[in-house]
């Protein structure tokens, strides 16, 4: 069985619309302070995005698991 962690960040753009980004391959032991710094960096360097993030709304870690199912009996 495999597992993975993704970071989903949500922002408001200049128009007030919600913008979300999903970041794959996040370390499962990521520190909250590192995530806060990452989100702040996305706002600081927001000009690189088509939908520029202006205000942070939230961030969450999403853990997924995979389990292979044997289909041959």
């Amino acid at each position: 069985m495999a597992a993975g962690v993704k970071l989903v960040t949500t922002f408001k753009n200049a128009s007030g619309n919600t913008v979300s980004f999903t970041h794959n391959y996040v370390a499962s032991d990521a520190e909250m302070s590192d995530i806060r710094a990452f989100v702040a960096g996305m706002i600081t360097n927001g000009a690189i995005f088509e939908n520029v993030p202006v205000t942070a709304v939230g961030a969450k870690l999403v853990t997924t698991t995979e389990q292979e199912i044997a289909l041959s009996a």
Side-chain angles (χ1 to χ4, degrees):
M1 189 171 353
V5 179
K6 296 180 181 185
L7 173 64
V8 178
T9 54
T10 307
F11 301 88
K12 292 285 185 181
N13 64 13
S15 301
N17 297 322
T18 301
V19 180
S20 293
F21 299 94
T22 301
H23 315 277
N24 297 320
Y25 311 111
V26 175
S28 60
D29 60 349
E31 297 287 332
M32 294 301 122
S33 59
D34 293 333
I35 293 172
R36 286 186 198 99
F38 177 74
V39 168
M42 288 184 67
I43 292 171
T44 299
N45 299 297
I48 66 171
F49 299 105
E50 183 175 332
N51 286 311
V52 178
V54 176
T55 305
V57 174
K60 61 183 174 182
L61 293 171
V62 178
T63 303
T64 58
T65 59
E66 295 179 8
Q67 182 175 359
E68 292 289 330
I69 306 296
L71 299 178
S72 59

